């Protein structure tokens, strides 16, 4: 039991009396490497040995009986005793930012063992510690150098996901319910922080920050969807639905701003994440959502307007902009023509990717419309359905839709038309201009011909 410690630039062999002192020495080395920025470039031998040793300490306390260990708690029979959880959490924080996949798997396994063996009180401590760590990591992201904060935030998101997933057991339900509001509040804070980071990194062409920001936002929304979809294990209230809307609200802001060419793809991905979360919300929590339906419908209007604007911009040929750039550059020297051809191909690829993302967003928005158009829940949202149809007809009146675009969004619009009464249909028609009335007539005609069930097979 020994390790090497740097002293005056030379390695000195230091004797360690017990496991606790060895872990403390390893933790000191990891923190020193992280402060100097050498954790990524450092050999992963020390990191792997430290994680393996912690796994042996935590798993070894079970004595071959998982049930017995879980009844006692974490580390009651181990050499660290009650200090097991703080020691493991300190090691995981020190190892945040590693890129080795094997080490990431070992860290996840270590935290899963903690969650499995934890008693009710220890589970509450783990949940509170994860929330505190998430708050600290978001504060680090807001600084100029937020690399360390992003890595720590992603790791903390994985902790929260494991805790929420295992928090529906009978002896942990009360603890999870008491922490629902702090969890949603911290998720909203994290999403509102990472959205501008993602957009700014896209404009700077910082690929690493873009991927990590997208991953952090996706993890936060995955935790939110896990809370929303578990209807039997997690009992939400109206205040929780309001906080859930606060989580997705920061995703709406980039859709209302005029983005540059580089940030358009990021905005399309953000729109897709928003549509999926709205779909989960309306499918699983519509009775509670009915109390906050105005804010929800406002998000639907924003997403619909964004999709229509994207389709209007993409309605021209995908090579028009690149062809204009090429024509302007034909007067340049011959040595730059290959660069212009490369720009043309890049623009075409970006057009295809943005078009595919817009179809995915329209599909997700169509599923939201279909969920709103169910007759068993119509009484909760019937006052707002005509306004959604009116907004669609008003936006799509000058937009020719191709077959893919029609298949993506029109089934949802037809579902909304099917639950409208004759008075509401007349109200929609009367408040449209001539172009909008033509669009609405076409929708009603196609609905009666192709979509409405008439009893004939």
């Amino acid at each position: 039991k020994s390790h090497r410690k740097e002293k005056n630039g030379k390695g000195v062999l230091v004797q360690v009396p017990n496991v606790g002192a060895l872990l403390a020495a390893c933790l000191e080395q990891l923190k020193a490497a992280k402060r100097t920025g050498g954790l990524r470039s450092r050999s992963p031998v020390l990191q792997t040995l430290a994680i393996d040793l912690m796994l042996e300490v935590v798993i070894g306390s079970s004595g071959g009986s998982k049930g017995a260990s879980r009844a006692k708690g974490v580390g009651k029979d181990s050499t660290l005793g009650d200090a097991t959880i703080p020691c493991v959490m300190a090691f995981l924080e020190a190892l945040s930012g590693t890129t080795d996949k094997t080490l990431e798997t070992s860290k996840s396994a270590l935290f899963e063992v903690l969650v499995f063996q934890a008693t009710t009180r220890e589970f509450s401590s783990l949940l509170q510690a994860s929330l505190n760590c998430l708050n600290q990591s978001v504060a680090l992201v807001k600084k100029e150098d937020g690399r360390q904060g992003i890595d720590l935030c992603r790791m903390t998101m994985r902790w929260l996901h494991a805790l929420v997933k295992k928090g529906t057991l009978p002896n942990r339900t009360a603890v999870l319910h008491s922490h629902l509001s702090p969890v949603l509040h911290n998720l909203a804070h994290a999403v509102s922080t990472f959205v501008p980071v993602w957009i700014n990194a896209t404009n700077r062409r910082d690929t690493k920050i873009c991927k990590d920001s997208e991953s952090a936002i996706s993890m936060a929304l995955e935790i939110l969807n896990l809370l929303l979809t578990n209807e039997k294990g997690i009992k939400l209230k109206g205040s929780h639905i309001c906080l859930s809307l606060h989580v997705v609200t920061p995703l709406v802001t980039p859709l209302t701003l005029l983005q540059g060419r580089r940030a358009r793809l990021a905005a399309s991905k953000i729109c897709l994440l928003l549509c999926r979360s709205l779909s989960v919300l309306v499918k699983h929590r519509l009775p509670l959502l009915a109390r906050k339906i105005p804010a929800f419908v406002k998000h639907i209007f924003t997403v619909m307007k964004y999709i229509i604007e994207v389709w209007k911009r993409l309605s021209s040929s995908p090579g028009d902009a690149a062809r204009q750039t090429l024509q302007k550059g034909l007067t340049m020297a011959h040595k730059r023509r290959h660069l212009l051809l490369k720009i043309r191909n890049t623009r075409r690829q970006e057009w295809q990717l943005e078009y595919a993302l817009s179809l995915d967003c329209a599909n997700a928005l169509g599923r939201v419309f279909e969920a709103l158009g169910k007759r068993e829940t119509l009484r909760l949202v019937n006052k707002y359905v005509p306004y959604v149809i009116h907004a669609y007809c008003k936006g799509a009146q000058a937009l020719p839709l191709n077959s893919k675009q029609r298949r993506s969004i029109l089934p949802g619009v037809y579902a909304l038309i099917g639950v409208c009464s004759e008075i509401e249909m007349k109200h929609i028609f009367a408040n449209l201009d001539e172009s909008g009335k033509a669009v609405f007539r076409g929708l009603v005609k196609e609905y009666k011909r192709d979509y409405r069930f008439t009893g004939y097979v």
Side-chain angles (χ1 to χ4, degrees), residues 186-258:
N186 281 274
L187 291 179
H189 190 201
V191 172
S192 63
T193 301
F194 277 104
V195 167
V197 171
W198 186 2
I199 297 295
N200 294 333
T202 304
N203 291 326
R204 299 194 310 267
R205 294 184 179 180
D206 194 337
T207 308
K208 180 63 176 175
I209 298 293
C210 289
K211 291 182 178 180
D212 291 344
S213 301
E214 181 181 359
S215 176
I217 294 174
S218 300
M219 289 180 187
L221 296 180
E222 188 176 352
I223 296 172
L224 175 63
N225 295 340
L226 188 61
L227 293 172
L228 295 174
T229 54
N230 195 345
E231 301 179 34
K232 294 183 179 180
I234 301 177
K235 305 297 182 183
L236 298 181
K237 300 178 181 179
S239 59
H240 298 145
I241 298 300
C242 184
L243 289 175
S244 300
L245 288 175
H246 285 313
V247 175
V248 300
T249 297
L251 301 175
V252 180
T253 304
L255 308 184
T256 61
L257 302 176
L258 182 61

Side-chain angles (χ1 to χ4, degrees), residues 198-199 202 214 251 254-255 259-276 303 306-307 309-311 313-314 350-362 364:
W198 186 2
I199 297 295
T202 304
E214 181 181 359
L251 301 175
L255 308 184
Q259 303 291 349
R261 181 178 58 84
R262 298 175 184 174
R264 287 173 186 168
L265 293 180
S268 298
K269 293 179 181 179
I270 289 173
C271 180
L272 181 58
L273 293 175
L274 174 62
C275 290
R276 289 175 177 174
V303 173
Y306 174 78
I307 294 175
E309 290 295 331
V310 170
W311 282 349
R313 179 164 45 82
L314 299 179
E350 291 177 352
W351 185 94
Q352 293 173 350
L353 181 56
E354 191 174 3
Y355 179 72
L357 288 173
S358 67
L359 292 180
D360 292 338
C361 294

Side-chain angles (χ1 to χ4, degrees), residues 59-104:
I59 299 177
S61 65
S62 61
S65 175
K66 293 183 179 180
S69 175
R70 185 171 178 176
K72 293 180 180 180
V74 178
K76 298 302 180 183
D77 298 331
S78 67
T79 56
L80 298 180
D82 294 334
T84 302
I85 291 181
C87 184
V88 171
M89 298 295 282
F91 262 90
L92 292 177
E93 290 184 20
L95 289 170
S96 63
T98 55
T99 58
D100 187 76
K101 294 183 178 180
T102 305
L103 189 61
E104 290 293 328

Side-chain angles (χ1 to χ4, degrees), residues 304 308-309 312 389-399 432:
M304 189 189 310
I308 292 175
E309 290 295 331
K312 286 181 180 179
I389 301 175
H390 179 273
Y392 173 78
C393 295
K394 186 177 179 180
Q397 59 187 4
L399 180 65
L432 291 170

Side-chain angles (χ1 to χ4, degrees), residues 392-409:
Y392 173 78
C393 295
K394 186 177 179 180
Q397 59 187 4
L399 180 65
L401 299 179
N402 56 36
S403 58
K404 293 182 179 180
Q405 293 169 341
R406 294 175 66 86
R407 285 197 301 267
S408 62
I409 197 170

